[in-house]
Amino acid sequence: MALQIGIVGLPNVGKSTLFNALTNAGADVASYPFTTIEPNRGVVPVPDARLDVLAEMVGPDRVTPAIVEFVDIAGLVKGAHRGEGLGNQFLGHIRTVDAIAVVSRCFADPDIAHVEGDVDPVRDVEVLDLELILADLEVTERKLEKIRSAAKAHPRQYGEDSQALQALRERLEAGERARGWLRPSGPRAQLAKELQLLTAKKRIYVINVAEDALPDGGERAEAVKRLAEGEGASYVVLCAELEAELAEWPPDEATAYRAEVGLERSGLARLAKAGYRVLDLITFFTITGGEEVRAWSIQRGTKAPQAAGQVHSQMEAGFIRAEVITFEELRAAGGWQAARERGIVRIKGRDYQMQDGDVCLFRFSPA
């Protein structure tokens, strides 16, 4: 599965600069609102050193990393839920993503105006949240009206949905996000999926700071960190402008400069890791003869047949078994054949839950 992250925030907080840094896609950047009208989309490989090790071991024709798709959504302003600044259109773009990256501006720059007049990242998050809550409230009320109408004829069939939606509406009317209403299973989970609730989505706070504030970010950044920690959300501190510049540098020089400012990894690597963490994703690998070494992203707890289905639907339908070895075991053995000769390649059936770093060969019966 491709992880899809929507980059959201108020205008002029650095969303498009961040998008350019992550994807090197060249989205328009300017110091005025609504530079981005249609969402910019960029598919980016997920950095994973294990894939490089496997590729060196196998020497394949192709190396295919797992991917993350970033969607740069235009800045939201007060009244977005009513269509201010094309807000309804922009909010619609967020509904389909897996998670949202809330870009919080924690830098001061007299040449880049702030739509609220001054830099206050916590207030900005509150403005953004209010618009998302009001947008969800409108969607919830429309759904509740339909459910109540259907429940008149079939009260037993729709009664539980009606109660769940009423509880959601009350929560949203109180100015609270839907994440506290959501349940892992049952009618609430199904309704959240149908409604594509914005405030139920997992989020990552991207704390955009000035270069001289790296690596920790300074006082404004600390306020956003406390906010994220209070919600149990992930956060990443970076300088979008610096990341955009380093994206143009030779990789070894960029790595060396990041080390000078106290950063161990790129913004992409840290944001991708945060995305995997909030969505509880893991990575497994496949080796197709000498042709391809590939990384795949799946939900933690996925069983072997469903993981095989990520590779090809016929593999899930005709699943027989999976031959599995951990990345560390394979690296120590020096290759698949050597590992097989040592007897450390294990045979797993339909009930096996995939683990992060598994290297797999799926056996299946073609349809």
Side-chain angles (χ1 to χ4, degrees), residues 182-219:
L182 194 60
R183 299 287 184 273
S185 59
R188 293 191 179 192
Q190 183 59 36
L191 285 168
K193 184 177 181 180
E194 291 176 10
L195 298 175
Q196 296 181 316
L197 294 170
L198 301 171
T199 61
K201 292 186 181 297
K202 300 291 181 67
R203 64 171 55 182
I204 307 156
Y205 286 96
V206 179
I207 303 173
N208 189 15
V209 304
E211 182 178 344
D212 60 10
L214 291 170
D216 297 326
E219 185 177 344

Side-chain angles (χ1 to χ4, degrees), residues 9 75 89 93 100 107 118 127 146 149 162 192 228 254 269 274 279 297 305 330 345-346 360 363:
Q89 178 182 341
H93 295 147
I100 57 176
F107 65 90
D118 62 337
V127 170
K146 291 181 181 178
S149 178
S162 179
L279 292 171
S297 302
L330 184 59
V345 176
R346 294 173 293 280
C360 303
R363 300 294 186 180

Side-chain angles (χ1 to χ4, degrees), residues 34-365:
F34 311 124
T35 301
T36 307
I37 301 300
E38 292 298 323
N40 293 301
R41 297 177 183 271
V43 175
V44 181
V46 176
D48 194 323
R50 296 173 298 183
L51 189 64
D52 299 331
V53 172
L54 292 174
E56 185 176 350
M57 182 185 303
V58 176
D61 297 332
R62 297 187 307 278
V63 179
T64 306
I67 59 173
V68 56
E69 181 180 1
F70 289 103
V71 185
D72 176 26
I73 298 165
L76 300 173
V77 296
K78 287 182 179 179
H81 71 285
R82 298 191 303 269
E84 294 292 335
L86 301 179
N88 284 334
Q89 178 182 341
F90 298 163
L91 288 168
H93 295 147
I94 311 174
R95 293 198 181 276
T96 59
V97 301
D98 300 304
I100 57 176
V102 178
V103 182
S104 299
R105 175 176 170 176
C106 294
F107 65 90
D109 188 333
D111 295 326
I112 302 178
H114 194 293
V115 292
E116 294 295 323
D118 62 337
V119 177
D120 184 339
V122 173
R123 177 211 54 212
D124 291 353
V125 172
E126 291 172 352
V127 170
L128 180 68
D129 274 342
L130 178 59
E131 295 306 317
L132 300 183
I133 287 168
L134 292 173
D136 277 353
L137 182 58
E138 289 186 2
V139 170
T140 300
E141 288 178 336
R142 288 198 296 269
K143 181 68 172 181
L144 184 57
E145 185 177 345
K146 291 181 181 178
I147 290 290
R148 282 177 171 171
S149 178
K152 291 178 181 178
H154 306 281
R156 291 184 179 179
Q157 183 176 350
Y158 294 101
E160 195 172 1
D161 284 354
S162 179
Q163 291 177 3
L165 286 169
Q166 180 60 36
L168 173 59
R169 183 173 74 172
E170 291 173 359
R171 184 177 187 86
L172 295 171
E173 286 177 336
E176 299 178 5
R177 303 209 312 254
R179 64 188 183 92
W181 165 87
L182 194 60
R183 299 287 184 273
S185 59
R188 293 191 179 192
Q190 183 59 36
L191 285 168
K193 184 177 181 180
E194 291 176 10
L195 298 175
Q196 296 181 316
L197 294 170
L198 301 171
T199 61
K201 292 186 181 297
K202 300 291 181 67
R203 64 171 55 182
I204 307 156
Y205 286 96
V206 179
I207 303 173
N208 189 15
V209 304
E211 182 178 344
D212 60 10
L214 291 170
D216 297 326
E219 185 177 344
R220 292 190 183 100
E222 289 301 320
V224 182
K225 291 178 188 178
R226 289 193 295 271
L227 177 66
E229 289 167 354
E231 297 178 2
S234 294
Y235 63 82
V236 175
V237 178
L238 53 75
C239 173
E241 186 175 15
L242 175 62
E243 292 290 343
E245 291 178 8
L246 294 181
E248 305 289 339
W249 289 23
D252 56 339
E253 294 182 16
T255 298
Y257 189 81
R258 285 193 181 94
E260 287 184 20
V261 296
L263 300 175
E264 295 181 0
R265 292 173 297 165
S266 70
L268 168 60
R270 290 182 288 132
L271 186 52
K273 182 176 181 180
Y276 269 55
R277 186 164 56 249
V278 300
L279 292 171
D280 204 17
L281 300 179
I282 62 172
T283 302
F284 74 93
F285 304 94
T286 56
I287 300 173
T288 307
E291 298 177 2
E292 183 182 38
V293 172
R294 184 162 183 170
W296 305 85
S297 302
I298 54 173
Q299 201 81 36
R300 189 179 304 277
T302 298
K303 293 186 177 181
Q306 288 68 52
Q310 293 289 315
V311 180
H312 196 288
S313 58
Q314 287 188 2
M315 288 189 175
E316 180 176 359
F319 179 86
I320 298 174
R321 66 180 183 272
E323 299 179 14
V324 182
I325 185 172
T326 69
F327 165 77
E328 294 295 344
E329 289 172 328
L330 184 59
R331 178 167 64 174
W336 186 270
Q337 186 58 38
R340 190 190 296 277
E341 291 172 358
R342 293 184 188 181
I344 57 177
V345 176
R346 294 173 293 280
I347 304 301
K348 299 295 183 180
R350 292 182 172 275
D351 292 333
Y352 176 68
Q353 288 190 358
M354 301 290 292
Q355 302 297 310
D356 185 59
D358 279 349
V359 184
C360 303
L361 174 64
F362 296 109
R363 300 294 186 180
F364 69 104
S365 176

